Amino acid sequence: MSVPSLIVAPSILAADFAHLADAARAVEGAADWLHVDVMDNHFVPNLTIGLPVVQSLRKTTTLPFDCHLMIENPDRWAIGYAEAGAYNVTFHAEAAADPVRLANDLRAAGSRAGLAIDRDTPVDKYLDLLPHLDTVLIMTIKAGFGGQAFLPEMLDKVRQVRRAVAASGLEIRVEVDGGIADDTIAQAAEAGADAFVAGTAVYGADDPAEAVRRLRRLASGASDD
Ligand code: DX5
Ligand code: ZN
């Protein structure tokens, strides 16, 4: 199977929670991953969905799940998402007690392992962890809510991670999340991101699949006409 050079991952946080299976199917064939934001009302103030919903939703779509855990104690809870069949499980650096052990456990459970870095967290001290990771997610907003404005100053962290990944020779996705839309995705791609989460820009559009295709064209540097 060929590996897509760019990943577009619609976030169902911006979809209608009463119709999540429809939201997933609406982007099948256009999206690469489905981004699932799990929030616990502790690590972030917001509360979204958890494991039972992910388990049920897993049966409704062929799209790989990119589970973004904005939760406390991922060391305890993240593994369930891997066991539920998530393709990638991303936990927050700020929340994990033992990120290397957790990443290893996720991989052993059959998932890829992702580390997320929130807005106010420098990435420097986490670069040593790259050999244990498959994705590094740089928040381009403060984690917790969809529909916030993109923070271009976060792109320095994207550049930093991209440089470290290139130097390592490892195959690691550099993912951006927050405010990714038609007018921001190209600068994130230019900074070195190769996986793009988009909530509002996809599910706020009349045609979510077309919005995904447009974002992909814009990220790959093609003109949008
Ligand atoms: C917020 C979530 C994001 C959110 C992005 O903390 O991690 O995935 O869905 O939403 P938009 O694309 O609307 O900024
Ligand atoms: Zn997210």
Side-chain angles (χ1 to χ4, degrees), residues 3-12 23-24 26-36 63-66 87 173-177 180-182 185-186 189 193-203 207-221:
V3 181
S5 55
L6 293 180
I7 298 290
V8 181
S11 166
I12 54 166
V27 294
E28 277 179 9
D32 303 286
W33 301 344
L34 193 71
H35 186 83
V36 181
L63 282 170
F65 282 4
D66 178 34
Y87 174 80
R173 291 276 179 194
V174 183
E175 188 171 7
V176 282
D177 184 4
I180 297 297
D182 290 2
I185 195 166
D194 62 358
F196 305 87
V197 177
T200 310
V202 171
Y203 288 110
D207 183 343
E210 179 51 32
V212 170
R213 288 190 283 267
R214 192 169 56 246
L215 287 167
R216 188 190 307 283
R217 285 197 299 273
L218 291 165
S220 63

Side-chain angles (χ1 to χ4, degrees), residues 28-89:
E28 277 179 9
D32 303 286
W33 301 344
L34 193 71
H35 186 83
V36 181
D37 288 301
V38 174
M39 305 190 194
D40 67 351
N41 175 231
H42 289 277
F43 179 70
V44 290
N46 204 358
L47 180 67
T48 56
I49 59 176
L51 190 54
V53 175
V54 170
Q55 288 167 331
S56 294
L57 196 59
R58 186 54 286 172
K59 301 177 195 134
T60 71
T61 176
T62 55
L63 282 170
F65 282 4
D66 178 34
C67 289
H68 176 195
L69 307 183
M70 285 160 276
I71 61 172
E72 283 183 357
N73 200 6
D75 304 76
R76 163 69 182 86
W77 299 109
I79 202 76
Y81 295 84
E83 289 167 353
Y87 174 80
N88 181 65
V89 178

